[in-house]
């Protein structure tokens, strides 16, 4: 298990913004698991803040991305 900080860019709705986060790597010779977590503001990407029945949700969003790569037999 290893954690690696990263800087990158995220494009949503045609808007590109810089992001920062941490990649967590875990695996062996046959399988690699990658988990990444970072925060964005929906308003930074021109996404309207959701509202429903008088309730407004926060524009801050915690994103978590998981990927698994497995070796072919």
């Amino acid at each position: 298990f290893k954690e690696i900080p990263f800087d990158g860019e995220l494009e949503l709705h045609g808007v590109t913004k810089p992001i920062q986060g941490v990649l967590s790597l875990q695996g062996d010779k046959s399988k690699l698991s990658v988990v990444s977590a970072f925060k964005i503001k929906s308003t930074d990407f021109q996404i309207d803040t959701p509202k429903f029945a008088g309730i407004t949700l926060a524009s801050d969003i915690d994103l978590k991305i998981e990927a698994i790569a497995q070796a072919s037999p």
Side-chain angles (χ1 to χ4, degrees):
F1 173 63
K2 184 174 186 176
E3 289 191 344
I4 302 169
F6 73 87
D7 294 312
E9 292 183 341
L10 178 66
E11 182 179 345
L12 290 173
H13 291 263
V15 177
T16 302
K17 294 284 184 178
I19 58 169
Q20 295 179 329
V22 176
L23 286 175
S24 299
L25 301 173
Q26 185 175 2
D28 54 33
K29 291 182 181 182
S30 64
K31 182 177 171 182
L32 176 65
S33 172
V34 179
V35 177
S36 177
F38 51 92
K39 296 180 182 225
I40 66 167
K41 285 186 175 275
S42 60
T43 53
D44 287 347
F45 293 92
Q46 299 176 356
I47 299 170
D48 293 335
T49 302
K51 297 176 184 177
F52 179 74
I55 299 170
T56 302
L57 300 179
S59 64
D60 295 331
I61 300 171
D62 293 324
L63 292 178
K64 182 178 179 182
I65 299 171
E66 298 181 38
I68 297 174
Q70 198 160 356
S72 299

